[in-house]
Amino acid sequence: LAYASGGCIAFALFVQAAVTFQQYRTKSGLERGVRTGLALVGFSPLLEGFGTWTGAEGAALMVSPSVMYAATKAIEIAFESIPESIIQINGLLGASQGQIKGFHVFSVVSSILAAAFIIM
């Protein structure tokens, strides 16, 4: 399960980085590289949320910061939160009753709540 969970997170970060790379295609190579690198380590939602909040750089980008923020959230839901929840529920249902610990239930509930929070 750990490899599948890690794969979900890695794929979601890769998709966010690819979208960020395309979004900043009109920027300098250094800025584009820094933004893409930050997306690879999970900072894309923070940067796009800040851009949406301040209204910065909207004219020079492929899409507005608010559209990019929405796309970032959609990527998180589609490629990370929902698959992660499914993997964890599958693991929980496949475990015997003696193997299930409180942490496992907390993990499934927190994944579902995270997906719900991202949607809001």
Side-chain angles (χ1 to χ4, degrees):
L1 284 175
Y3 292 120
S5 296
C8 287
I9 293 169
F11 187 69
L13 291 174
F14 173 77
V15 171
Q16 284 184 0
V19 170
T20 300
F21 184 79
Q22 185 61 28
Q23 167 75 346
Y24 291 94
R25 71 180 188 278
T26 60
K27 297 293 184 179
S28 70
L30 178 63
E31 183 176 357
R32 189 179 194 186
V34 168
R35 293 274 186 158
T36 302
L38 288 172
L40 275 173
V41 294
F43 282 103
S44 187
L46 177 67
L47 295 173
E48 300 306 333
F50 182 75
T52 299
W53 183 54
T54 61
E57 304 181 19
L61 301 176
M62 186 172 79
V63 295
S64 70
S66 60
V67 171
M68 186 63 180
Y69 183 64
T72 299
K73 292 300 184 179
I75 290 168
E76 278 188 59
I77 287 291
F79 296 110
E80 184 179 346
S81 294
I82 291 174
E84 182 73 25
S85 296
I86 292 169
I87 289 168
Q88 289 179 354
I89 289 171
N90 186 31
L92 194 62
L93 292 175
S96 67
Q97 192 171 17
Q99 293 176 320
I100 298 174
K101 306 279 189 244
F103 175 75
H104 297 113
V105 175
F106 172 76
S107 180
V108 170
V109 170
S110 65
S111 290
I112 293 169
L113 290 175
F117 179 74
I118 291 170
I119 290 172
M120 296 173 88

